[in-house]
Amino acid sequence: MKIIRFLTAGREQLGRLHEDNSVTLLSGELCGELHDTSQPAVVDKLLAPIDPRDILCVGLNYRQHAAETGAEPPEHPVLFLKNSGAVQNPGDPIELPRRLRSDRVDYECELAVVIRKRCHNVRRDEALDYVLGYTCGNDVSARDWQKQGGGGQWCRGKSFATFCPLGPAIATTDEIPDPNQLAIRTIVNDNVMQDWNTNDMIFDVPTLIEFLSASMVLNPGTVILTGTPHGVGFARTPPVYLQPGDQVTVEIEKIGRLTNPVTEEPLAT
Ligand code: MG
């Protein structure tokens, strides 16, 4: 099923999104037992489908993206962390940083894996048993603070507020038995900027979970961003960066479309 999180009459709820876009209320916990009450729900405001405990990100995980950045394909998954405070809801703005200013804010469409149960030292062939489902992610990146201003770390440039849109729904694993056969795209305004398939991942989803769970404990509610295909803005000639007034959509087959407008960070006067 497809799970959404939303506000109704000021209350946060989980719901099941049906084919006809109607929603019924779910009872229970996102990473526990969920039960469809069949009770119709009114969605006042859609939220990111999960408030992640940790956000683990994999860099340079698509062959053609590694090539466009001039990097050799990595021997092991390249791991970095993104602050969970960066999560943004579908439809809410990606804010271009203005206090710590960035003029090089870029999009990255990514398949986001949601971990359902505590995961440590799991084998590749059992890895998907630990997954609740998949959603769309945008690993928004301030390239200036990721690279020149990053002190050798990517965390800062990837963790500004609003830099992790997630949603609109989590498609559970029964809907997506193979996460490595999904079309994935980014559209900025009317321009298709990335248009590829998760089958180009250097390390597929089960391999990532095996590797990550061998190097750390993945708790329920962890989100893994699995890397982006080629076509990012900074690797284009000339480079393309997000501007106020833009609209960015990440679209993944069998999951849905995650759209966010782009604005400037408001500063208190
Ligand atoms: Mg990324």
Side-chain angles (χ1 to χ4, degrees), residues 1-7 12-15 17 26 29-31 34 45-53 87-91 112-115 132-138 164-172 221-223 255 257-258 260:
M1 68 176 158
K2 284 186 176 162
I3 303 168
I4 61 168
R5 196 169 64 108
F6 58 97
L7 292 176
E12 189 183 308
Q13 299 277 9
L14 295 173
L17 178 65
L26 292 172
E29 300 290 324
L30 185 62
C31 294
L34 278 174
K45 179 176 175 53
L46 195 58
L47 302 174
I50 183 169
D51 187 7
R53 183 158 176 170
V87 169
Q88 183 59 302
N89 303 314
V113 179
V114 180
I115 296 294
L132 171 67
Y134 308 93
T135 192
C136 304
N138 192 341
C164 191
L166 293 173
I170 296 169
T172 51
T222 296
V223 165
I255 299 175
R257 290 165 65 92
L258 168 67
N260 299 90

Side-chain angles (χ1 to χ4, degrees), residues 57-59 80 108 110 139 141 158 227-228:
C57 306
V58 183
F80 63 94
E108 292 189 353
E110 307 212 3
D139 179 20
S141 307
K158 299 272 193 175
T228 199

Side-chain angles (χ1 to χ4, degrees), residues 104-159:
R104 296 186 186 174
V105 177
D106 205 348
Y107 52 82
E108 292 189 353
C109 59
E110 307 212 3
L111 177 71
V113 179
V114 180
I115 296 294
R116 182 169 62 90
K117 56 183 180 181
R118 189 179 187 275
C119 180
H120 188 216
N121 285 333
V122 304
R123 295 191 319 266
R124 191 182 178 289
D125 61 1
E126 61 183 5
L128 296 185
D129 297 343
Y130 292 78
V131 174
L132 171 67
Y134 308 93
T135 192
C136 304
N138 192 341
D139 179 20
V140 181
S141 307
R143 300 300 185 195
D144 31 16
W145 290 106
Q146 179 189 353
K147 296 177 180 177
Q148 299 87 336
Q153 303 280 327
W154 292 0
C155 174
R156 182 189 296 163
K158 299 272 193 175
S159 288

Side-chain angles (χ1 to χ4, degrees), residues 62 64-66 68 193-196 200 228-232 236:
Y62 282 73
Q64 296 229 21
H65 173 60
E68 77 178 341
M193 308 301 280
Q194 296 179 281
D195 188 5
W196 209 231
D200 187 41
T228 199
H230 64 290
V232 296
R236 290 171 172 270

